[in-house]
Amino acid sequence: MIINFAICRRALRENLPSAAVSCLVLACVSSGAHADRVVLAPTGSTLTELSIKSELMISSTAGTDRSWFTYASSDGIELELNRLESPAERKKQWSANLEYPLPTLQNLPAISVGIRDMTGTGAEHGAFYLAASRNVPLSSLQHRFLRSAEISLGAGTGPIGGGYIGLSSRLRTGLQLSAEVFERRPNFSAGLPVMKGLQLKAYSLNGHLFYGASYHFAR
């Protein structure tokens, strides 16, 4: 999957005009909840057991590209590999992240603890965190437009720099939107489902535009 994403990144850069990216952003004003991340911030809920997820985020300029590969064990423990690639850096940055879901009672928020960049080879070394996520109750009127909505709160050390908040929602059409304030910066993402498990995505990280795709495979 990582090899396929590298090919996809090259093709997108060569063939996808910036106007199409802008249209994707405008078309995706909506979003879905319940994932391993809001945009970059970890949520309290992890991926479904024995599933994998790959995601690619490409800068629309000469910024840093990001890619993720995540595996969730039968206990819901997430192991994630994250790669950062910047044209200005000869050495690519890799990091290994771990997230462990804590047991909670029914109807209570999902809570997880985790650590990012365990190997110290990436950009978030020393980032321990605690995250909690909960579905937002929707009224009958809201259910006409939304399938779900989720709020996530968390706090972390190191580069995370304290508390953060994220909001996610999914429209009846399947379009998805997420927003967060993470590492003291605002981030947004929009996802357009094209087939089961596959989304085309657009992102805004601290005002910079990115585009890409994500794929989630669950048994």
Side-chain angles (χ1 to χ4, degrees):
M1 185 61 68
I2 293 177
I3 296 175
N4 290 341
F5 270 171
I7 296 173
C8 175
R9 179 180 60 196
R10 190 178 305 114
L12 284 170
R13 275 220 167 110
E14 293 176 355
N15 300 322
L16 186 64
S18 58
V21 178
S22 301
C23 290
L24 178 60
V25 176
L26 293 173
C28 295
V29 180
S30 49
S31 170
H34 206 73
D36 54 332
R37 282 177 284 107
V38 184
V39 181
L40 299 180
T43 66
S45 54
T46 58
L47 294 177
T48 53
E49 293 82 357
L50 297 176
S51 69
I52 60 174
K53 181 180 179 182
S54 289
E55 187 167 357
L56 175 69
M57 181 188 297
I58 303 170
S59 174
S60 61
T61 57
T64 300
D65 299 336
R66 302 167 184 253
S67 59
W68 295 266
F69 182 84
T70 311
Y71 169 74
S73 72
S74 58
D75 299 320
I77 300 172
E78 275 187 9
L79 176 62
E80 181 179 74
L81 299 178
N82 177 211
R83 181 182 180 183
L84 284 77
E85 183 174 345
S86 173
E89 296 177 345
R90 294 183 179 180
K91 185 177 181 181
K92 311 309 183 227
Q93 297 185 67
W94 290 84
S95 62
N97 310 322
L98 186 69
E99 182 169 341
Y100 183 85
L102 300 179
T104 58
L105 298 176
Q106 189 175 7
N107 298 324
L108 291 181
I111 301 175
S112 294
V113 294
I115 176 175
R116 289 191 162 178
D117 193 14
M118 295 184 292
T119 58
T121 55
E124 295 180 305
H125 186 52
F128 292 87
Y129 62 86
L130 172 69
S133 298
R134 181 166 188 168
N135 289 332
V136 178
L138 300 175
S139 66
S140 299
L141 178 60
Q142 291 169 329
H143 266 299
R144 295 182 182 179
F145 308 97
L146 297 174
R147 290 184 182 177
S148 62
E150 185 179 79
I151 182 170
S152 296
L153 299 171
T157 62
I160 294 177
Y164 63 85
I165 184 171
L167 297 170
S168 299
S169 64
R170 177 178 297 168
L171 291 186
R172 284 288 175 184
T173 58
L175 296 176
Q176 300 186 3
L177 177 69
S178 296
E180 67 183 20
V181 178
F182 180 64
E183 296 182 359
R184 302 186 180 92
R185 297 177 179 180
N187 301 319
F188 305 90
S189 71
L192 176 66
V194 293
M195 59 179 290
K196 183 178 180 181
L198 178 64
Q199 286 189 341
L200 298 179
K201 303 195 72 173
Y203 314 80
S204 172
L205 304 186
N206 198 30
H208 300 285
L209 181 64
F210 295 75
Y211 56 90
S214 69
Y215 179 72
H216 180 206
F217 174 78
R219 295 179 60 180

